[in-house]
RNA sequence: CGGGGCGUGGCGCAGCUCGGUAGCGCGCCUGCUUUGGGAGCAGGAGGUCCCCGGUUCGAAUCCGGGCGCCCCGACCA
């Protein structure tokens, strides 16, 4: 037996653990381009499943996909004042092409509002052209100074939805609808229940009137902004001449929304469910849900055992399970177990000579409830029939654990000062629910002192039963807010 | 952008203080034996020591300059 080659435990250094997991589980690798990563098949497989689920939800609510170009004329970005201010520092700019200096530089899109609304202006004339509900899957570039695999890379993949509506109410409803979709996706698919709500003025998207967000709590009790949905008002419509003629014959500016979720979600998935053995992929998103490992002594045995393994895999495939057979002969079973656990495959079926004789297989779950056996021998037919429900149970188990962890990490009490907020966070609190007067100065001071930010002004169902009375900056609270240190 | 660290076979590192034939572990290839929690033995392949310059008979090692990456902080999906 070789000596252990484990990961740095989460308790020792969460950040080191995260990097090692991402690399060793082959989710991604560093690329030769500064701050950019290569997403490897296992990581991309997770992303593809996320894409599929989200895409289905967008389509089901009337959205269509389209594609807009990577390069945006510099002048477009500069059109909306707040928008430029927010993105200017992180723009990558193309100044040369075809061997010549360009008359007008292009920026590599950091987000596509400007070019999309410029096009919408061309396509929309009448209220009958609205709402316009498009989404695009693509890449964007933000020249971040400090990057981290999946969580913040110079280039990342995402979807950005952009809509135009005839009324403010409709745009508002759209931005809330999408926030709900993100939330449902995170709960049902990622098993990562977020807190949702409104961003403060200081934290909102550059160019938005209002920003809504899903904030998830990671195992190290830092918050991750997992998706955002913005009500843009008429800010972009006015800059790009996106007008329409109303039913009453008046020319009016359209109301826009934009919303996005990125490959950052893969990082969130890792930090929500991962353990010291590696990734734990929720069954609904796992590229492979079940791996079948044949175990044999001799070559003849290998033939018959592998044949049986393939048959089991076929039956599982027919019942809708994503399954792989690991029939590599040069690796010992133990080596395979470790590898698949590191990648987070939810379930494993082992079949060896012993099992063959008894008509059994051994079934192991990546994660089991406390006290439950890690491995179970069961009749082959029972295993095949039982795996679907077990995957469902595991999905639910992960969600329940994540939800419990989020609530255990949440503190709801009167917070009297920024110093007290800092103490709570230093003491291990994740989300701190406090009162706030709405004063930006109080927010800024607490941010400075506690090195934390208001993640959201929570939606109603997340608010405390007894609303906080006191603003942490002094005086009376006008609303409840959720503080956290964030990624 | 400030602070720190690191650049040596694919990966992780030692060697550098005190200059003298480039080493270890893992991985890889071949063969045999193995396979129920990271297999063993034997043989083998693989290196412009990040780059440029300087000192020297001689530089991975000393000196100067540059580049790159990672980590920590401030800003950000």
């Amino acid at each position: 037996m070789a000596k252990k080659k484990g990961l740095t435990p989460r308790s020792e250094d969460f950040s080191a653990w995260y990097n090692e997991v991402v690399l060793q589980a082959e989710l991604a690798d560093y690329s030769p381009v500064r701050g950019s990563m290569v997403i490897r098949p296992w990581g991309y497989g997770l992303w593809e499943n996320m894409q599929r689920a989200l895409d289905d939800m967008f389509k089901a609510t009337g959205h269509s996909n389209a594609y807009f170009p990577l390069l945006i004329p510099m002048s477009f970005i500069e059109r909306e004042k707040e928008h430029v201010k927010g993105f200017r520092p992180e723009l990558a700019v193309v100044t040369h092409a075809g061997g010549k200096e360009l008359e007008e530089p292009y920026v590599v899109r950091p987000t596509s509002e400007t070019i999309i609304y410029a096009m919408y202006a061309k396509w929309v004339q009448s209220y009958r052209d609205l709402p316009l509900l498009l989404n695009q899957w693509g890449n964007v570039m933000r020249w971040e100074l400090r990057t981290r695999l999946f969580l913040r890379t110079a280039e990342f993949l995402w979807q950005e939805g952009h809509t135009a509506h005839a009324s403010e109410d409709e745009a508002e409803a759209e931005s809330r609808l999408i926030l709900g979709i993100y939330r449902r996706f995170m709960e049902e698919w990622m098993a990562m229940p977020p807190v949702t709500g409104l961003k403060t003025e200081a934290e909102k998207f550059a160019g938005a009137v209002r920003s809504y967000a899903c904030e998830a709590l990671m195992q190290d009790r830092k918050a991750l902004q997992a998706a955002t949905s913005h009500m843009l008002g008429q800010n972009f419509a006015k800059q790009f001449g996106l007008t329409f003629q109303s039913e009453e014959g008046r020319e009016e500016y359209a109301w826009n929304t934009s919303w996005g979720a990125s490959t950052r979600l893969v990082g969130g998935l890792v930090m929500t469910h991962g353990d010291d053995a590696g990734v734990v992929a929720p069954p609904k998103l796992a590229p492979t849900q079940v791996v079948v490992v044949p175990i044999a002594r001799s070559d003849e045995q290998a033939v018959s055992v592998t044949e049986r393994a393939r048959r089991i895999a076929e039956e599982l495939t027919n019942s809708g399970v994503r399954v792989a057979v690991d029939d590599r002969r040069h690796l010992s079973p133990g080596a395979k177990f470790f590898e698949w656990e590191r990648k987070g495959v939810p379930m494993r079926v082992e079949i060896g000579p012993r099992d063959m004789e008894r008509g059994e297989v051994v079934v192991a779950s990546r994660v089991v409830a406390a006290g439950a056996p890690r491995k179970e021998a069961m009749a082959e037919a029972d295993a095949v029939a039982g795996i679907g429900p077990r995957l469902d149970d595991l999905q639910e188990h992960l969600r329940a654990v994540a939800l419990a962890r989020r609530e255990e990490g949440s503190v709801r009490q009167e917070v009297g000062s920024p110093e007290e907020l800092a103490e709570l966070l230093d003491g291990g609190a994740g989300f701190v629910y406090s009162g706030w007067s709405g004063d930006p100065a109080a927010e800024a001071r607490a941010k400075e002192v506690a090195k934390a930010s208001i993640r959201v002004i929570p939606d109603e169902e997340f608010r405390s039963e007894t609303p906080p009375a006191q603003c942490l900056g002094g005086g009376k609270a006008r609303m409840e807010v959720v503080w956290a240190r964030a990624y």
Side-chain angles (χ1 to χ4, degrees):
Chain A
M1 297 296 117
K3 66 166 188 273
K4 268 209 194 144
K5 326 165 207 180
L7 301 159
T8 300
R10 288 161 298 170
S11 56
E12 191 178 301
D13 185 343
F14 192 81
S15 178
W17 168 83
Y18 175 79
N19 283 324
E20 291 171 18
V21 169
V22 169
L23 295 170
Q24 290 189 32
E26 299 183 350
L27 263 41
D29 200 356
Y30 294 109
S31 82
V33 180
R34 194 208 76 99
S36 302
M37 65 175 180
V38 175
I39 304 175
R40 302 182 69 177
W42 189 249
Y44 201 79
L46 287 168
W47 176 239
E48 283 179 309
N49 288 334
M50 291 181 180
Q51 281 185 299
R52 197 164 299 127
L54 281 170
D55 201 62
D56 285 347
M57 292 183 186
F58 297 149
K59 300 266 175 64
T61 44
H63 302 83
S64 304
N65 286 331
Y67 187 78
F68 295 82
L70 174 71
L71 300 178
I72 299 178
M74 181 64 102
S75 59
F76 278 42
I77 290 281
E78 287 170 344
R79 206 86 63 91
E80 214 284 341
K81 220 173 59 231
E82 293 302 316
H83 191 65
V84 219
K85 228 198 289 172
F87 284 105
R88 174 115 65 192
E90 42 192 61
L91 293 180
V93 183
V94 178
T95 55
H96 290 72
K100 282 194 295 197
E101 183 165 359
L102 296 166
E103 270 185 40
E104 182 185 350
Y106 292 117
V107 305
V108 180
R109 62 182 169 211
T111 180
S112 304
E113 276 76 6
T114 55
I115 194 157
I116 289 181
Y117 298 130
M119 294 308 296
Y120 281 15
K122 195 169 160 184
W123 298 336
V124 172
Q125 274 98 45
S126 148
Y127 70 94
R128 293 194 176 92
D129 298 324
L130 299 174
L132 184 49
L133 308 173
L134 300 187
N135 175 63
Q136 85 168 343
W137 289 95
N139 56 344
V140 286
M141 176 161 280
R142 298 180 188 177
W143 208 256
E144 300 287 354
L145 297 172
R146 187 174 164 198
T147 58
R148 299 202 61 192
L149 294 166
F150 285 111
L151 302 175
R152 178 166 298 102
T153 45
E155 178 186 358
F156 57 92
L157 306 184
W158 75 346
Q159 58 68 217
E160 47 179 324
H162 295 271
T163 66
H165 306 264
S167 74
E168 179 172 15
D169 284 354
E170 226 182 83
E172 176 66 17
E174 167 77 6
S175 60
R176 296 291 318 190
L177 169 75
I178 297 295
L179 185 73
I181 287 176
Y182 285 142
R183 176 185 170 183
R184 192 152 53 83
F185 166 74
M186 287 174 205
E187 288 172 349
E188 293 177 8
W189 292 79
M190 295 184 69
M192 182 181 83
V195 170
T196 61
L198 181 68
K199 287 284 181 183
T200 64
E201 285 298 301
E203 301 286 334
K204 74 180 185 185
F205 176 74
V209 170
R210 274 187 291 283
S211 288
Y212 297 101
C214 291
E215 294 282 333
L217 195 62
M218 303 294 103
Q219 288 185 59
D220 62 348
R221 307 236 154 138
K222 283 173 77 176
L224 184 77
Q225 179 171 304
T228 48
S229 178
H230 313 290
M231 157 60 176
L232 301 174
Q234 295 174 310
N235 291 348
F236 286 92
K238 285 178 178 165
Q239 295 313 317
F240 290 92
L242 170 47
T243 58
F244 67 96
Q245 202 163 17
S246 71
E247 218 171 334
E248 296 80 28
R250 288 192 304 268
E251 189 182 24
E252 293 180 19
Y253 288 111
W255 300 80
N256 297 114
T257 79
S258 71
W259 27 278
S262 73
T263 37
R264 166 180 267 197
L265 290 173
V266 177
L269 191 83
V270 171
M271 292 195 294
T272 297
H273 302 300
D275 61 22
D276 289 347
V279 174
V280 174
K284 289 174 87 165
L285 293 175
T288 297
Q289 296 171 308
V290 177
V291 60
V292 183
V293 180
I295 299 163
R297 277 170 211 290
S298 64
D299 280 337
E300 308 92 83
Q301 235 170 30
V303 173
S304 59
V305 167
T306 303
E307 192 185 328
R308 181 72 70 94
R310 293 221 175 90
R311 210 179 64 209
I312 293 169
E314 200 181 313
E315 287 171 31
L316 287 169
T317 302
N318 290 340
S319 64
V321 175
R322 293 188 289 274
V323 56
V325 176
D326 189 350
D327 57 1
R328 290 175 294 177
R329 290 284 287 139
H330 65 285
L331 290 181
S332 70
K336 294 178 185 176
F337 300 164
F338 277 99
E339 184 177 320
W340 290 110
E341 277 167 15
R342 197 164 56 218
K343 290 189 153 187
V345 170
M347 297 197 60
R348 180 177 71 237
V349 173
E350 303 170 19
I351 173 133
R354 270 197 332 243
D355 310 302
M356 291 268 284
E357 280 171 31
R358 304 178 197 151
E360 289 184 345
V361 294
V362 170
V363 175
S365 263
R366 176 63 178 82
V367 170
V368 293
R374 181 73 179 263
K375 286 192 185 191
E376 271 181 274
M378 60 179 77
E380 194 183 306
D382 293 345
V384 168
I387 273 182
R390 275 169 163 253
L391 289 169
D392 294 342
D393 290 349
L394 180 55
Q395 179 81 28
E396 172 51 25
H397 173 74
L398 292 176
R399 193 199 59 81
V401 168
L403 179 61
R405 197 186 287 120
R406 186 190 83 194
E407 288 310 301
E408 277 161 27
S410 298
V411 173
R412 297 165 187 271
Q413 65 177 65
E414 294 292 345
V415 180
S417 65
E419 289 73 19
E420 201 180 328
L421 172 63
E423 262 172 51
L424 288 168
L425 293 166
D426 289 341
F431 285 145
V432 176
Y433 289 70
S434 88
W436 183 44
S437 62
D439 175 18
E443 179 188 14
R445 195 153 39 83
K447 186 171 176 171
E448 171 83 26
V449 170
K451 291 180 185 133
S453 52
I454 296 178
R455 304 317 301 165
V456 285
I457 300 161
D459 287 332
E460 196 168 351
E461 64 168 294
F462 296 101
R463 289 178 210 153
S464 305
E465 274 178 45
T466 320
Q470 187 182 357
C471 170
L472 84 171
K476 274 175 62 176
R478 280 186 43 233
M479 64 190 93
E480 182 169 29
V481 293
V482 182
W483 291 87
R485 292 182 175 142
Y487 276 96

